[in-house]
Amino acid sequence: LSAVTLPIGAIFGVYFSDSASDEQLALLVAFGAGALLFAVTVELYGDAIQRLEMQQYGILGTVEIACTLLGAVVGAVVYILLCRWLDTLMLEMHTARQVRGRKRAMFAQ
């Protein structure tokens, strides 16, 4: 059933793309990304916690959960840093294009 949400979301996106503002589209994309992240998290951590319970909360299971949590935190930090770096890079590229465009306009006169 969850696989049907992608085509439905695509149809809504095409239908409402002209009438929605950038803020509304960003909100919908963020909501969809959060829902996907939640589903993946529940799937991964649910299995890990179930294994921990089956091992009767032994030391090996506790280390496994700790490593899983550490990996999630490190992954989130790396993701945020890469996103910020890409935003900065794109802003610098956009600014450089504007400067080049202004220089070309000045020489064309």
Side-chain angles (χ1 to χ4, degrees):
L1 181 65
S2 64
V4 78
T5 59
L6 179 64
I8 290 173
I11 290 168
F12 277 130
V14 169
Y15 183 75
F16 290 113
S17 64
D18 292 335
S19 61
S21 68
D22 287 344
E23 290 82 13
Q24 290 170 330
L25 291 175
L27 178 67
L28 288 173
V29 169
F31 177 77
L36 180 61
L37 182 62
F38 177 76
V40 169
T41 301
V42 166
E43 185 67 29
L44 291 176
Y45 292 121
D47 288 343
I49 291 173
Q50 189 176 27
R51 279 196 306 264
L52 179 63
E53 184 180 3
M54 287 172 32
Q55 295 172 356
Q56 299 175 346
Y57 301 97
I59 188 72
L60 184 61
T62 305
V63 170
E64 183 180 346
I65 289 291
C67 288
T68 303
L69 291 173
L70 180 65
V73 170
V74 170
V77 169
V78 168
Y79 175 80
I80 289 170
L81 292 175
L82 285 174
C83 282
R84 288 183 181 175
W85 176 72
L86 284 173
D87 285 343
T88 304
L89 182 67
M90 294 302 292
L91 181 63
E92 289 172 359
M93 290 173 59
H94 180 70
T95 304
R97 284 185 186 145
Q98 286 180 334
V99 169
R100 282 194 306 257
R102 288 183 191 140
K103 287 181 181 177
R104 287 182 187 154
M106 286 190 326
F107 287 120
Q109 294 175 353

